Amino acid sequence: MNRRIQVDGLPYRTRVYVNNQVLIPSELVRLLGIEKSLFANVVIRHEGRIININGVKLLRNRRATSRQFTIPREVRETYGIKPLDEIEIVSIEPVEAISNRRNAILNS
């Protein structure tokens, strides 16, 4: 049951899952080079409004390259984002400072 989602870049339109998570397909993850990133700053558009979400954790599956992130409750309540709403991912930037700090702690 391998469903491939064709993506040619950002912006990318998708729906919010019932558990308030958003899927980033593996093709987009590879295109953006965020396979090893743990956290990211994400910019989404919902009903014409641009929303910045900083430091979201990129959740991963053992067997897939795709990632998911949860839209924080404060953001959902402030902007009225509900499950099954359509959003547009405008930008995803990995937060390397967090992973570099984590690596420095682990290596010391």
Side-chain angles (χ1 to χ4, degrees), residues 22-84:
V22 177
L23 174 71
I24 305 170
S26 57
E27 198 167 312
L28 184 57
V29 169
R30 285 191 293 271
L31 187 67
L32 296 173
I34 58 173
E35 295 97 334
K36 299 197 186 292
S37 297
L38 298 174
F39 296 90
N41 296 330
V42 180
V43 179
I44 63 173
R45 181 177 295 131
H46 177 259
E47 296 180 350
R49 294 178 293 196
I50 298 291
I51 303 166
N52 292 311
I53 308 171
N54 294 321
V56 295
K57 186 168 184 172
L58 297 176
L59 308 169
R60 60 184 296 251
N61 183 320
R62 263 182 262 162
R63 296 186 181 107
T65 311
S66 64
R67 299 287 183 265
Q68 292 183 352
F69 66 90
T70 304
I71 300 175
R73 177 181 290 152
E74 307 82 41
V75 173
R76 293 191 317 262
E77 290 174 352
T78 302
Y79 295 99
I81 300 173
K82 297 179 290 304
L84 305 179

Side-chain angles (χ1 to χ4, degrees), residues 36-39 57 95-108:
K36 299 197 186 292
S37 297
L38 298 174
F39 296 90
K57 186 168 184 172
V95 180
E96 298 303 329
I98 293 173
S99 60
N100 288 342
R101 183 174 35 183
R102 180 177 165 262
N103 289 338
I105 291 169
L106 292 176
N107 292 332
S108 58

